[in-house]
PDB file of all heavy atoms in Angstrom:
ATOM      1  N   TRP A  46      65.801  29.896 132.818  1.00 97.00           N
ATOM      2  CA  TRP A  46      64.952  29.122 133.769  1.00 97.00           C
ATOM      3  C   TRP A  46      65.011  29.772 135.138  1.00 97.00           C
ATOM      4  O   TRP A  46      63.994  29.847 135.844  1.00 97.00           O
ATOM      5  CB  TRP A  46      65.473  27.682 133.854  1.00 97.00           C
ATOM      6  CG  TRP A  46      64.876  26.795 132.811  1.00 97.00           C
ATOM      7  CD1 TRP A  46      65.561  26.166 131.805  1.00 97.00           C
ATOM      8  CD2 TRP A  46      63.499  26.419 132.691  1.00 97.00           C
ATOM      9  NE1 TRP A  46      64.666  25.432 131.066  1.00 97.00           N
ATOM     10  CE2 TRP A  46      63.399  25.569 131.573  1.00 97.00           C
ATOM     11  CE3 TRP A  46      62.347  26.749 133.415  1.00 97.00           C
ATOM     12  CZ2 TRP A  46      62.211  25.012 131.175  1.00 97.00           C
ATOM     13  CZ3 TRP A  46      61.156  26.182 132.994  1.00 97.00           C
ATOM     14  CH2 TRP A  46      61.092  25.324 131.896  1.00 97.00           C
ATOM     15  N   SER A  74      63.334  17.482 139.325  1.00 96.00           N
ATOM     16  CA  SER A  74      64.767  17.271 139.360  1.00 96.00           C
ATOM     17  C   SER A  74      65.547  18.381 138.686  1.00 96.00           C
ATOM     18  O   SER A  74      66.627  18.786 139.092  1.00 96.00           O
ATOM     19  CB  SER A  74      65.123  15.938 138.698  1.00 96.00           C
ATOM     20  OG  SER A  74      64.802  15.943 137.337  1.00 96.00           O
ATOM     21  N   LYS A  75      64.908  18.978 137.649  1.00 96.00           N
ATOM     22  CA  LYS A  75      65.538  20.130 137.029  1.00 96.00           C
ATOM     23  C   LYS A  75      65.443  21.351 137.916  1.00 96.00           C
ATOM     24  O   LYS A  75      66.378  22.167 137.961  1.00 96.00           O
ATOM     25  CB  LYS A  75      64.843  20.413 135.672  1.00 96.00           C
ATOM     26  CG  LYS A  75      65.186  21.769 135.108  1.00 96.00           C
ATOM     27  CD  LYS A  75      65.913  21.668 133.822  1.00 96.00           C
ATOM     28  CE  LYS A  75      66.492  22.991 133.412  1.00 96.00           C
ATOM     29  NZ  LYS A  75      66.949  23.009 132.039  1.00 96.00           N
ATOM     30  N   ASP A  97      57.107  20.320 158.241  1.00 95.00           N
ATOM     31  CA  ASP A  97      57.372  19.081 157.508  1.00 95.00           C
ATOM     32  C   ASP A  97      58.817  19.106 157.083  1.00 95.00           C
ATOM     33  O   ASP A  97      59.185  19.756 156.108  1.00 95.00           O
ATOM     34  CB  ASP A  97      56.436  18.965 156.290  1.00 95.00           C
ATOM     35  CG  ASP A  97      56.665  17.662 155.540  1.00 95.00           C
ATOM     36  OD1 ASP A  97      57.691  17.017 155.774  1.00 95.00           O
ATOM     37  OD2 ASP A  97      55.819  17.332 154.693  1.00 95.00           O
ATOM     38  N   ARG A  98      59.649  18.378 157.793  1.00 95.00           N
ATOM     39  CA  ARG A  98      61.067  18.550 157.571  1.00 95.00           C
ATOM     40  C   ARG A  98      61.569  17.913 156.268  1.00 95.00           C
ATOM     41  O   ARG A  98      62.741  18.076 155.944  1.00 95.00           O
ATOM     42  CB  ARG A  98      61.855  17.936 158.776  1.00 95.00           C
ATOM     43  CG  ARG A  98      61.489  18.629 160.074  1.00 95.00           C
ATOM     44  CD  ARG A  98      62.651  18.798 161.026  1.00 95.00           C
ATOM     45  NE  ARG A  98      63.346  17.551 161.255  1.00 95.00           N
ATOM     46  CZ  ARG A  98      62.908  16.550 162.062  1.00 95.00           C
ATOM     47  NH1 ARG A  98      61.750  16.653 162.674  1.00 95.00           N
ATOM     48  NH2 ARG A  98      63.624  15.464 162.244  1.00 95.00           N
ATOM     49  N   ARG A  99      60.685  17.272 155.544  1.00 95.00           N
ATOM     50  CA  ARG A  99      61.071  16.846 154.205  1.00 95.00           C
ATOM     51  C   ARG A  99      61.110  18.045 153.248  1.00 95.00           C
ATOM     52  O   ARG A  99      61.938  18.142 152.358  1.00 95.00           O
ATOM     53  CB  ARG A  99      60.082  15.831 153.651  1.00 95.00           C
ATOM     54  CG  ARG A  99      60.024  14.519 154.392  1.00 95.00           C
ATOM     55  CD  ARG A  99      58.855  13.726 153.894  1.00 95.00           C
ATOM     56  NE  ARG A  99      57.575  14.384 154.103  1.00 95.00           N
ATOM     57  CZ  ARG A  99      56.410  13.881 153.761  1.00 95.00           C
ATOM     58  NH1 ARG A  99      56.346  12.715 153.122  1.00 95.00           N
ATOM     59  NH2 ARG A  99      55.299  14.537 154.010  1.00 95.00           N
ATOM     60  N   ALA A 166      54.175  13.559 129.503  1.00 34.00           N
ATOM     61  CA  ALA A 166      54.504  13.712 128.102  1.00 34.00           C
ATOM     62  C   ALA A 166      54.787  12.322 127.529  1.00 34.00           C
ATOM     63  O   ALA A 166      55.181  11.417 128.227  1.00 34.00           O
ATOM     64  CB  ALA A 166      55.741  14.566 127.958  1.00 34.00           C
ATOM     65  N   ARG A 168      56.996  10.041 125.220  1.00 31.00           N
ATOM     66  CA  ARG A 168      58.226   9.954 124.471  1.00 31.00           C
ATOM     67  C   ARG A 168      57.915   9.485 123.064  1.00 31.00           C
ATOM     68  O   ARG A 168      56.807   9.036 122.798  1.00 31.00           O
ATOM     69  CB  ARG A 168      59.151   8.890 125.009  1.00 31.00           C
ATOM     70  CG  ARG A 168      59.171   8.704 126.456  1.00 31.00           C
ATOM     71  CD  ARG A 168      60.454   9.285 126.911  1.00 31.00           C
ATOM     72  NE  ARG A 168      60.367  10.714 126.749  1.00 31.00           N
ATOM     73  CZ  ARG A 168      59.703  11.466 127.575  1.00 31.00           C
ATOM     74  NH1 ARG A 168      59.091  10.956 128.538  1.00 31.00           N
ATOM     75  NH2 ARG A 168      59.617  12.748 127.376  1.00 31.00           N
TER      76      ARG A 168
ATOM     77  P    DT C  17      71.836  23.633 129.017  1.00 50.74           P
ATOM     78  OP1  DT C  17      71.304  24.982 128.910  1.00 50.74           O
ATOM     79  OP2  DT C  17      72.539  23.130 130.222  1.00 50.74           O
ATOM     80  O5'  DT C  17      70.648  22.582 128.683  1.00 50.74           O
ATOM     81  C5'  DT C  17      70.177  22.520 127.341  1.00 50.74           C
ATOM     82  C4'  DT C  17      69.103  21.442 127.255  1.00 50.74           C
ATOM     83  O4'  DT C  17      69.734  20.153 127.128  1.00 50.74           O
ATOM     84  C3'  DT C  17      68.222  21.409 128.510  1.00 50.74           C
ATOM     85  O3'  DT C  17      66.861  21.457 128.063  1.00 50.74           O
ATOM     86  C2'  DT C  17      68.583  20.059 129.144  1.00 50.74           C
ATOM     87  C1'  DT C  17      69.046  19.237 127.984  1.00 50.74           C
ATOM     88  N1   DT C  17      70.066  18.201 128.334  1.00 50.74           N
ATOM     89  C2   DT C  17      69.835  16.903 127.910  1.00 50.74           C
ATOM     90  O2   DT C  17      68.868  16.585 127.232  1.00 50.74           O
ATOM     91  N3   DT C  17      70.841  16.015 128.282  1.00 50.74           N
ATOM     92  C4   DT C  17      71.959  16.303 129.022  1.00 50.74           C
ATOM     93  O4   DT C  17      72.747  15.405 129.297  1.00 50.74           O
ATOM     94  C5   DT C  17      72.106  17.672 129.471  1.00 50.74           C
ATOM     95  C7   DT C  17      73.277  18.086 130.274  1.00 50.74           C
ATOM     96  C6   DT C  17      71.150  18.517 129.091  1.00 50.74           C
ATOM     97  P    DC C  18      65.690  21.624 129.129  1.00 50.74           P
ATOM     98  OP1  DC C  18      64.668  22.394 128.482  1.00 50.74           O
ATOM     99  OP2  DC C  18      66.281  22.071 130.410  1.00 50.74           O
ATOM    100  O5'  DC C  18      65.163  20.116 129.316  1.00 50.74           O
ATOM    101  C5'  DC C  18      65.015  19.361 128.116  1.00 50.74           C
ATOM    102  C4'  DC C  18      64.654  17.957 128.457  1.00 50.74           C
ATOM    103  O4'  DC C  18      65.872  17.185 128.654  1.00 50.74           O
ATOM    104  C3'  DC C  18      63.867  17.811 129.778  1.00 50.74           C
ATOM    105  O3'  DC C  18      62.557  17.308 129.473  1.00 50.74           O
ATOM    106  C2'  DC C  18      64.673  16.859 130.635  1.00 50.74           C
ATOM    107  C1'  DC C  18      65.674  16.253 129.673  1.00 50.74           C
ATOM    108  N1   DC C  18      67.002  16.011 130.255  1.00 50.74           N
ATOM    109  C2   DC C  18      67.630  14.769 130.092  1.00 50.74           C
ATOM    110  O2   DC C  18      67.032  13.898 129.479  1.00 50.74           O
ATOM    111  N3   DC C  18      68.859  14.542 130.634  1.00 50.74           N
ATOM    112  C4   DC C  18      69.446  15.532 131.340  1.00 50.74           C
ATOM    113  N4   DC C  18      70.630  15.261 131.861  1.00 50.74           N
ATOM    114  C5   DC C  18      68.807  16.791 131.517  1.00 50.74           C
ATOM    115  C6   DC C  18      67.616  16.998 130.975  1.00 50.74           C
ATOM    116  P    DA C  19      61.400  17.384 130.460  1.00 50.74           P
ATOM    117  OP1  DA C  19      60.238  18.008 129.821  1.00 50.74           O
ATOM    118  OP2  DA C  19      61.914  17.955 131.735  1.00 50.74           O
ATOM    119  O5'  DA C  19      61.099  15.828 130.701  1.00 50.74           O
ATOM    120  C5'  DA C  19      60.970  15.016 129.569  1.00 50.74           C
ATOM    121  C4'  DA C  19      61.246  13.567 129.962  1.00 50.74           C
ATOM    122  O4'  DA C  19      62.612  13.410 130.345  1.00 50.74           O
ATOM    123  C3'  DA C  19      60.412  13.077 131.128  1.00 50.74           C
ATOM    124  O3'  DA C  19      59.983  11.754 130.854  1.00 50.74           O
ATOM    125  C2'  DA C  19      61.385  13.130 132.296  1.00 50.74           C
ATOM    126  C1'  DA C  19      62.706  12.803 131.587  1.00 50.74           C
ATOM    127  N9   DA C  19      63.879  13.319 132.270  1.00 50.74           N
ATOM    128  C8   DA C  19      64.061  14.567 132.798  1.00 50.74           C
ATOM    129  N7   DA C  19      65.254  14.762 133.323  1.00 50.74           N
ATOM    130  C5   DA C  19      65.913  13.563 133.107  1.00 50.74           C
ATOM    131  C6   DA C  19      67.211  13.133 133.432  1.00 50.74           C
ATOM    132  N6   DA C  19      68.092  13.894 134.079  1.00 50.74           N
ATOM    133  N1   DA C  19      67.531  11.862 133.101  1.00 50.74           N
ATOM    134  C2   DA C  19      66.623  11.100 132.451  1.00 50.74           C
ATOM    135  N3   DA C  19      65.366  11.409 132.090  1.00 50.74           N
ATOM    136  C4   DA C  19      65.088  12.661 132.458  1.00 50.74           C
ATOM    137  P    DC C  20      58.710  11.204 131.539  1.00 50.74           P
ATOM    138  OP1  DC C  20      57.926  10.582 130.464  1.00 50.74           O
ATOM    139  OP2  DC C  20      58.112  12.247 132.423  1.00 50.74           O
ATOM    140  O5'  DC C  20      59.263  10.031 132.468  1.00 50.74           O
ATOM    141  C5'  DC C  20      60.066   8.996 131.864  1.00 50.74           C
ATOM    142  C4'  DC C  20      61.077   8.491 132.837  1.00 50.74           C
ATOM    143  O4'  DC C  20      62.016   9.523 133.176  1.00 50.74           O
ATOM    144  C3'  DC C  20      60.535   8.020 134.195  1.00 50.74           C
ATOM    145  O3'  DC C  20      60.490   6.594 134.144  1.00 50.74           O
ATOM    146  C2'  DC C  20      61.518   8.537 135.195  1.00 50.74           C
ATOM    147  C1'  DC C  20      62.653   9.068 134.369  1.00 50.74           C
ATOM    148  N1   DC C  20      63.399  10.222 134.974  1.00 50.74           N
ATOM    149  C2   DC C  20      64.729  10.047 135.384  1.00 50.74           C
ATOM    150  O2   DC C  20      65.247   8.941 135.204  1.00 50.74           O
ATOM    151  N3   DC C  20      65.398  11.073 135.934  1.00 50.74           N
ATOM    152  C4   DC C  20      64.797  12.241 136.090  1.00 50.74           C
ATOM    153  N4   DC C  20      65.507  13.251 136.636  1.00 50.74           N
ATOM    154  C5   DC C  20      63.438  12.452 135.699  1.00 50.74           C
ATOM    155  C6   DC C  20      62.756  11.427 135.165  1.00 50.74           C
ATOM    156  P    DA C  21      60.080   5.874 135.505  1.00 50.74           P
ATOM    157  OP1  DA C  21      59.344   4.679 135.080  1.00 50.74           O
ATOM    158  OP2  DA C  21      59.433   6.861 136.398  1.00 50.74           O
ATOM    159  O5'  DA C  21      61.478   5.439 136.148  1.00 50.74           O
ATOM    160  C5'  DA C  21      62.410   4.770 135.317  1.00 50.74           C
ATOM    161  C4'  DA C  21      63.652   4.413 136.121  1.00 50.74           C
ATOM    162  O4'  DA C  21      64.340   5.649 136.465  1.00 50.74           O
ATOM    163  C3'  DA C  21      63.419   3.702 137.400  1.00 50.74           C
ATOM    164  O3'  DA C  21      64.488   2.792 137.663  1.00 50.74           O
ATOM    165  C2'  DA C  21      63.363   4.843 138.431  1.00 50.74           C
ATOM    166  C1'  DA C  21      64.424   5.777 137.871  1.00 50.74           C
ATOM    167  N9   DA C  21      64.212   7.195 138.188  1.00 50.74           N
ATOM    168  C8   DA C  21      63.084   7.912 137.980  1.00 50.74           C
ATOM    169  N7   DA C  21      63.144   9.151 138.350  1.00 50.74           N
ATOM    170  C5   DA C  21      64.465   9.247 138.839  1.00 50.74           C
ATOM    171  C6   DA C  21      65.168  10.337 139.364  1.00 50.74           C
ATOM    172  N6   DA C  21      64.655  11.576 139.511  1.00 50.74           N
ATOM    173  N1   DA C  21      66.443  10.114 139.754  1.00 50.74           N
ATOM    174  C2   DA C  21      66.949   8.885 139.600  1.00 50.74           C
ATOM    175  N3   DA C  21      66.379   7.800 139.098  1.00 50.74           N
ATOM    176  C4   DA C  21      65.108   8.073 138.737  1.00 50.74           C
ATOM    177  P    DA C  25      69.853   8.985 155.116  1.00 50.74           P
ATOM    178  OP1  DA C  25      71.034   9.625 155.719  1.00 50.74           O
ATOM    179  OP2  DA C  25      69.512   7.580 155.459  1.00 50.74           O
ATOM    180  O5'  DA C  25      68.569   9.860 155.443  1.00 50.74           O
ATOM    181  C5'  DA C  25      68.586  11.252 155.273  1.00 50.74           C
ATOM    182  C4'  DA C  25      67.185  11.770 155.448  1.00 50.74           C
ATOM    183  O4'  DA C  25      66.413  11.320 154.331  1.00 50.74           O
ATOM    184  C3'  DA C  25      66.493  11.247 156.668  1.00 50.74           C
ATOM    185  O3'  DA C  25      66.628  12.132 157.828  1.00 50.74           O
ATOM    186  C2'  DA C  25      65.036  11.065 156.203  1.00 50.74           C
ATOM    187  C1'  DA C  25      65.051  11.230 154.730  1.00 50.74           C
ATOM    188  N9   DA C  25      64.441  10.109 154.040  1.00 50.74           N
ATOM    189  C8   DA C  25      64.905   8.832 153.933  1.00 50.74           C
ATOM    190  N7   DA C  25      64.123   8.025 153.238  1.00 50.74           N
ATOM    191  C5   DA C  25      63.074   8.827 152.859  1.00 50.74           C
ATOM    192  C6   DA C  25      61.928   8.600 152.086  1.00 50.74           C
ATOM    193  N6   DA C  25      61.588   7.429 151.571  1.00 50.74           N
ATOM    194  N1   DA C  25      61.070   9.639 151.880  1.00 50.74           N
ATOM    195  C2   DA C  25      61.396  10.829 152.417  1.00 50.74           C
ATOM    196  N3   DA C  25      62.448  11.179 153.123  1.00 50.74           N
ATOM    197  C4   DA C  25      63.274  10.122 153.315  1.00 50.74           C
ATOM    198  P    DT C  26      65.781  13.396 157.965  1.00 50.74           P
ATOM    199  OP1  DT C  26      65.539  13.883 156.612  1.00 50.74           O
ATOM    200  OP2  DT C  26      66.430  14.201 158.962  1.00 50.74           O
ATOM    201  O5'  DT C  26      64.394  13.015 158.533  1.00 50.74           O
ATOM    202  C5'  DT C  26      63.387  14.013 158.617  1.00 50.74           C
ATOM    203  C4'  DT C  26      62.195  13.727 157.696  1.00 50.74           C
ATOM    204  O4'  DT C  26      62.330  12.507 157.001  1.00 50.74           O
ATOM    205  C3'  DT C  26      60.904  13.602 158.485  1.00 50.74           C
ATOM    206  O3'  DT C  26      60.296  14.844 158.579  1.00 50.74           O
ATOM    207  C2'  DT C  26      60.096  12.637 157.648  1.00 50.74           C
ATOM    208  C1'  DT C  26      61.046  12.175 156.538  1.00 50.74           C
ATOM    209  N1   DT C  26      60.974  10.758 156.207  1.00 50.74           N
ATOM    210  C2   DT C  26      59.883  10.281 155.498  1.00 50.74           C
ATOM    211  O2   DT C  26      58.960  10.988 155.141  1.00 50.74           O
ATOM    212  N3   DT C  26      59.893   8.931 155.227  1.00 50.74           N
ATOM    213  C4   DT C  26      60.889   8.033 155.566  1.00 50.74           C
ATOM    214  O4   DT C  26      60.803   6.864 155.283  1.00 50.74           O
ATOM    215  C5   DT C  26      61.972   8.556 156.298  1.00 50.74           C
ATOM    216  C7   DT C  26      63.106   7.727 156.764  1.00 50.74           C
ATOM    217  C6   DT C  26      61.960   9.907 156.597  1.00 50.74           C
ATOM    218  P    DC C  27      59.292  15.060 159.708  1.00 50.74           P
ATOM    219  OP1  DC C  27      59.052  16.502 159.794  1.00 50.74           O
ATOM    220  OP2  DC C  27      59.715  14.261 160.868  1.00 50.74           O
ATOM    221  O5'  DC C  27      57.941  14.395 159.140  1.00 50.74           O
ATOM    222  C5'  DC C  27      57.278  15.039 158.059  1.00 50.74           C
ATOM    223  C4'  DC C  27      56.282  14.092 157.453  1.00 50.74           C
ATOM    224  O4'  DC C  27      56.929  12.814 157.233  1.00 50.74           O
ATOM    225  C3'  DC C  27      55.077  13.771 158.342  1.00 50.74           C
ATOM    226  O3'  DC C  27      53.930  14.317 157.764  1.00 50.74           O
ATOM    227  C2'  DC C  27      55.030  12.239 158.401  1.00 50.74           C
ATOM    228  C1'  DC C  27      55.937  11.830 157.257  1.00 50.74           C
ATOM    229  N1   DC C  27      56.616  10.535 157.467  1.00 50.74           N
ATOM    230  C2   DC C  27      56.169   9.407 156.757  1.00 50.74           C
ATOM    231  O2   DC C  27      55.192   9.536 155.974  1.00 50.74           O
ATOM    232  N3   DC C  27      56.779   8.242 156.922  1.00 50.74           N
ATOM    233  C4   DC C  27      57.829   8.114 157.770  1.00 50.74           C
ATOM    234  N4   DC C  27      58.410   6.920 157.886  1.00 50.74           N
ATOM    235  C5   DC C  27      58.333   9.259 158.473  1.00 50.74           C
ATOM    236  C6   DC C  27      57.684  10.426 158.301  1.00 50.74           C
TER     237       DC C  27
END
Side-chain angles (χ1 to χ4, degrees):
Chain A
W46 274 115
S74 64
K75 165 116 193 193
D97 181 347
R98 301 216 307 284
R99 295 171 298 180
R168 324 254 68 76

